[in-house]
């Protein structure tokens, strides 16, 4: 089980450090076997890495450059993220795909950069409401997987997050059955492409995960944790979600 918080474009430095400290304290006793990650804005990464040192909490970035260096104003490379102490990089989040032009091709380049620099990419896929209504969930999700993982040779250090766009920040969660259906599709696509190691790939669900719905989602056989937005900004809620993952595992 793995639970990762995506803080998005939120927190002052003081808030980030205090949230990180509260999360580290909250999960240090009871997260038996559950991996925990938090992804603050780039500029707070160093402070958050420092504040969580010695705790089970790992730190990730919300994005990474598709290039390894050079004249790319405003970008932050995977090597820089690794140097500052990141473990994870979220790649291909639907907000990046919809608002910042991250195509599957760009996502694939970011995944390759992350892997080449020792980071674990959390590769996000998910359909819009219109795509779901049109019965295109499987097409869209497997298409995104094929494109985003085009340069990947093995599943070692790959995490996939299924985040239905209609469930992000809307308070509307996929039902446990809906999540399981898509996760099973993802697992079987990964098995076809990469073989039996797909059984070990963490498949996270994201989209309005809260303490109240986390346990039921995490109990699904192909749901191996969560990528949490809004609820990760509140230490108590996030820690409760980590505890739900521990309960689902036990
Ligand atoms: P919410 O949990 O706020 O719906 O956000 C989900 C998400 O986008 C995590 O990456």
């Amino acid at each position: 089980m793995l639970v990762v918080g995506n803080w998005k474009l939120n927190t002052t430095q003081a808030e980030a450090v205090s949230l990180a400290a509260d999360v580290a304290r909250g999960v240090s006793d009871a997260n038996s076997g559950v991996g925990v990650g938090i992804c603050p804005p780039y500029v707070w990464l160093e402070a958050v890495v420092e504040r969580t040192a010695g705790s089970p909490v790992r730190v990730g970035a919300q994005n990474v450059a598709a290039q390894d260096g050079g004249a790319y104003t405003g970008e932050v490379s995977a090597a820089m993220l690794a140097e500052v102490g990141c473990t994870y990089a979220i790649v291909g989040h639907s907000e990046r795909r919809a608002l910042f032009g991250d195509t599957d091709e760009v996502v694939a380049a970011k995944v390759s950069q992350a892997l080449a620099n020792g980071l674990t990419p959390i590769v996000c896929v998910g359909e819009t409401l219109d795509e779901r209504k049109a019965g295109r969930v499987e097409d869209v999700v497997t298409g995104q997987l094929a494109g985003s993982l085009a340069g990947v040779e093995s599943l070692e250090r790959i995490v996939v997050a299924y985040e239905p766009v209609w469930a992000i920040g809307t308070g509307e969660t996929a039902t446990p059955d809906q999540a399981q259906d898509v996760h099973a599709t993802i697992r079987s696509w990964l098995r076809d492409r990469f073989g039996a190691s797909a059984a070990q790939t963490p498949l996270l669900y994201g989209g309005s995960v809260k303490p109240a719905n986390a346990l039921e989602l995490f109990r699904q056989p192909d749901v191996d944790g969560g990528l949490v937005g809004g609820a990760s900004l509140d230490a108590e809620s996030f820690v409760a979600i980590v505890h739900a993952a521990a309960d689902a595992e036990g």
Side-chain angles (χ1 to χ4, degrees):
M1 285 278 170
L2 172 64
V3 177
V4 178
N6 174 8
W7 295 0
K8 306 191 181 182
L9 185 51
N10 294 294
T11 68
T12 63
Q13 182 168 18
E15 287 165 351
V17 169
S18 130
L19 179 54
D22 289 346
V23 169
R25 196 174 313 114
V27 303
S28 57
D29 49 336
N31 79 320
S32 49
V34 179
V36 181
I38 51 178
C39 302
Y42 282 144
V43 285
W44 312 147
L45 282 171
E46 191 166 14
V48 167
V49 166
E50 233 167 71
R51 197 63 194 78
T52 52
S55 86
V57 177
R58 298 288 165 268
V59 178
Q62 299 172 18
N63 186 27
V64 60
Q67 302 83 7
D68 61 0
Y72 300 101
T73 302
E75 290 299 284
V76 176
S77 74
M80 294 169 186
L81 296 174
E83 187 173 342
V84 87
C86 284
T87 299
Y88 299 105
I90 299 173
V91 181
H93 191 281
S94 64
E95 287 150 16
R96 303 265 359 143
R97 291 178 186 267
L99 304 172
F100 301 101
D102 283 15
T103 60
D104 283 332
E105 208 178 7
V106 170
V107 175
K110 293 181 173 188
V111 169
S112 297
Q113 284 297 323
L115 289 173
N117 289 280
L119 299 174
T120 295
I122 300 173
V123 185
C124 302
V125 297
E127 82 287 357
T128 64
L129 189 56
D130 282 351
E131 290 164 341
R132 176 164 281 268
K133 283 183 177 157
R136 297 190 50 231
V137 177
E138 182 167 346
D139 264 13
V140 169
V141 166
T142 58
Q144 288 173 334
L145 286 171
S148 306
L149 301 179
V152 172
E153 280 160 20
S154 107
L155 286 174
E156 200 185 335
R157 259 190 304 119
I158 295 283
V159 175
V160 175
Y162 169 56
E163 297 208 314
V165 177
W166 48 271
I168 295 177
T170 58
E172 193 170 338
T173 320
T175 64
D177 283 348
Q178 283 173 324
Q180 169 55 28
D181 269 2
V182 181
H183 281 230
T185 299
I186 293 171
R187 184 90 63 199
S188 103
W189 187 90
L190 292 173
R191 196 179 299 115
D192 288 348
R193 164 80 202 277
F194 296 100
S197 61
Q200 267 71 57
T201 301
L203 306 185
L204 312 185
Y205 168 79
S208 300
V209 176
K210 308 279 180 238
N213 58 28
L215 184 60
E216 279 313 302
L217 288 160
F218 296 164
R219 276 193 173 137
Q220 302 305 307
D222 289 300
V223 178
D224 307 311
L227 183 54
V228 184
S232 73
L233 292 169
D234 177 72
E236 201 179 315
S237 297
F238 186 66
V239 168
I241 293 168
V242 172
H243 289 170
D247 290 348
E249 198 158 66

